């Protein structure tokens, strides 16, 4: 995603601001895909005039440094946070758009729905919002904080921003658990996954690239055990490598405790890398939805291409930018919440 970032020197100190500073680090990455953004230009997008690079340049110039500082400090203390914040952003955007509706603490809100019960990272968003309200009261939306925090959490291991983030989103005022049926199912086959992404304006490339988020984080065993057991007996999904199935069984016995989890990437579960795609090729995708990518010729070719880490990072960056535009509220729509967990009452 493109947006308001800063770049790190070899010593880890940040210099510069915005799109120009970002470009030096990622020119080689983007050239590989043939999508080279303008390094000198940062402004409103013709495709969505409500979003911009450096949207808060005048109204809250410290937004990038505040979000990054809080996020990196928390990730340093908890390596599970990159996956949680990335998932938070994904689950927000796929339900009524990227409007921070997942954060609302209301009766029957999105976060009470079954697919979101295991979503986390809310405390990081609260901490960032508190600092931003002190620095720039009523300026930065919770929706933008979610997008920026997801980027910064994943980028912590690189000590430089992995993608740019467009900002200018505003916050929604409605959050309903009944809307979460739009989220892709971990049990979905290829056609179902592609339809879910298409419904959000995303395509096959985005499906394969964003599935790479499963290179970090964990899945609940309840999302995995249908691939391992039928009733009380073992019954391994034929799309699952038998040796890897035994590894999964050791983490997810039958029955498994409700709180049991298993790594989505059995190789490097805390490192954001391209190993996920190699594991999909080896029939070691943890979820049925991971295995589904190998069941379509075009998707399988993309999986093979994205085993190259540079191509993966570039494709993921572009698709995160697209996802971050899904049904956003801009201009006079929505509001800028004072607290991310509740709508403004005045």
């Amino acid at each position: 995603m493109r947006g308001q970032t800063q770049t790190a020197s070899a010593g880890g100190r940040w210099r510069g601001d915005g799109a120009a500073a970002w470009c030096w680090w990622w020119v080689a990455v983007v050239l590989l895909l043939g999508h080279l953004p303008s390094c000198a230009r940062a402004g409103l997008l013709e495709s969505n005039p409500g979003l911009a690079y450096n949207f808060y340049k005048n109204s809250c110039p410290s937004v990038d440094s505040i979000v990054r500082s809080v996020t990196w400090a928390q990730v340093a203390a908890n390596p599970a946070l990159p996956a949680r914040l990335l998932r938070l952003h994904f689950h927000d955007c796929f339900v009524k758009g990227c409007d921070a509706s997942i954060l609302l603490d209301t009766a029957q809100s999105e976060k009470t729905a079954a697919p979101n019960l295991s979503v986390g990272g809310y405390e990081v968003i609260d901490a960032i919002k508190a600092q931003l309200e002190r620095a720039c009261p009523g300026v930065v939306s919770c929706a933008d904080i979610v997008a920026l925090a997801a980027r910064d959490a994943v980028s912590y291991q690189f000590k430089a921003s992995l993608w740019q983030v467009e900002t200018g989103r505003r916050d929604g005022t409605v959050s309903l658990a009944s809307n979460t049926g739009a989220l892709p199912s971990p049990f979905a086959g290829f056609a179902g996954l592609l339809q879910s992404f298409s419904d959000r304006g995303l395509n096959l490339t985005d499906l394969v690239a964003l599935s790479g988020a499963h290179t970090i984080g964990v899945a609940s065993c309840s999302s995995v055990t249908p691939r391992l057991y039928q009733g009380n007996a073992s019954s391994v999904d034929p799309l699952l490598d038998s040796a890897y199935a035994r590894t999964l069984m050791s983490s997810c016995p039958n029955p498994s405790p409700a709180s049991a989890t298993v790594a989505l990437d059995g190789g490097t579960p805390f490192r954001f890398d391209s190993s996920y795609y190699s594991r999909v090729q080896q029939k070691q995708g943890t979820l049925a939805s991971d295995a589904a990518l190998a069941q379509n010729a075009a998707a399988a070719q993309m999986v093979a291409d994205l085993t190259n880490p540079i191509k993966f990072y570039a494709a993921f960056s572009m698709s995160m930018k697209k996802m971050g535009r899904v049904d956003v509220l801009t201009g006079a729509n929505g509001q800028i919440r004072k607290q991310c967990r509740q709508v403004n009452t005045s």
Side-chain angles (χ1 to χ4, degrees), residues 185-216:
S185 167
F187 310 112
F190 179 78
L193 289 172
L194 189 60
Q195 185 61 56
S196 180
F197 274 67
S198 177
D199 289 345
R200 305 269 71 79
L202 302 171
N203 59 24
L204 173 62
T205 300
D206 303 315
L207 165 59
V208 178
L210 294 176
S211 292
H214 288 178
T215 189
I216 53 175

Side-chain angles (χ1 to χ4, degrees), residues 6-344:
Q6 295 174 306
T7 31
S9 67
R13 291 176 299 173
W14 291 78
R15 67 179 189 272
D17 187 73
W22 175 85
C23 284
W24 73 268
W25 200 70
W26 276 113
V27 163
V29 173
V30 179
L31 277 173
L32 280 174
L33 289 192
H35 299 292
L36 180 61
S38 169
C39 294
R41 184 172 172 273
L44 295 175
L45 299 167
E46 291 181 2
S47 59
N48 193 332
L51 296 182
Y53 305 155
N54 297 319
F55 182 85
Y56 299 108
K57 181 178 181 180
N58 297 320
S59 58
C60 190
S62 59
V63 60
D64 287 314
S65 60
I66 290 174
V67 175
R68 185 177 59 247
S69 175
V70 174
T71 303
W72 281 16
Q74 299 223 19
V75 171
N78 184 356
L81 281 174
R84 292 177 184 173
L85 289 166
L86 190 56
R87 188 172 181 229
L88 180 68
H89 185 29
F90 183 94
H91 279 226
D92 181 42
C93 291
F94 261 66
V95 180
K96 304 295 288 184
C98 309
D99 65 350
S101 54
I102 194 173
L103 304 180
L104 291 174
D105 284 334
T106 54
Q108 302 300 311
S109 66
E110 290 172 29
K111 66 168 59 172
T112 69
N116 288 335
L117 293 178
S118 57
V119 173
Y122 300 111
E123 72 284 355
V124 181
I125 305 303
D126 291 339
I128 294 169
K129 181 64 170 175
Q131 286 208 24
L132 286 172
E133 284 299 300
R134 287 193 289 271
C136 318
V139 173
V140 181
S141 70
C142 300
D144 279 342
I145 293 172
V146 170
L148 290 165
R151 187 273 311 278
D152 289 342
V154 172
S155 300
Y156 174 75
Q157 76 177 56
F158 302 98
K159 299 301 187 289
S161 295
L162 189 57
W163 66 89
Q164 289 186 293
V165 176
E166 298 165 349
T167 45
R169 301 169 189 80
R170 289 171 65 85
D171 300 323
T173 57
V174 177
S175 181
L176 297 173
S178 57
N179 289 330
T180 58
L183 290 166
S185 167
F187 310 112
F190 179 78
L193 289 172
L194 189 60
Q195 185 61 56
S196 180
F197 274 67
S198 177
D199 289 345
R200 305 269 71 79
L202 302 171
N203 59 24
L204 173 62
T205 300
D206 303 315
L207 165 59
V208 178
L210 294 176
S211 292
H214 288 178
T215 189
I216 53 175
V218 298
S220 63
C221 282
S222 62
S223 298
V224 178
T225 50
R227 305 188 73 195
L228 305 174
Y229 312 104
Q230 181 112 30
N232 294 324
S234 297
S235 179
V236 176
D237 182 345
L239 300 179
L240 186 60
D241 174 73
S242 58
Y244 187 54
R246 290 191 292 273
T247 298
L248 292 176
M249 287 176 174
S250 67
S251 297
C252 297
N254 188 24
S256 293
S259 60
T261 61
V262 63
L264 283 164
D265 182 336
T268 55
F270 291 105
R271 183 161 186 82
F272 195 82
D273 57 26
S274 62
S275 66
Y276 164 81
Y277 297 101
S278 298
R279 298 183 74 83
V280 168
Q281 287 184 311
Q282 297 161 10
K283 299 173 66 174
Q284 294 180 5
T286 298
L287 302 175
S289 57
D290 297 324
L293 300 183
Q295 303 310 301
N296 173 272
Q301 182 57 58
M302 291 181 190
V303 167
D305 289 343
L306 297 188
T307 59
N308 179 313
I310 300 301
K311 291 184 177 181
F312 165 52
Y313 295 143
F316 189 83
S317 299
M318 294 298 175
S319 291
M320 284 298 293
K321 172 184 171 180
K322 286 181 65 177
M323 188 188 78
R325 294 174 175 172
V326 170
D327 294 335
V328 294
L329 300 173
T330 59
N333 297 313
Q335 60 181 217
I336 305 297
R337 290 185 213 141
K338 298 174 184 177
Q339 296 182 35
C340 290
R341 294 175 183 255
Q342 60 187 54
V343 298
N344 299 340

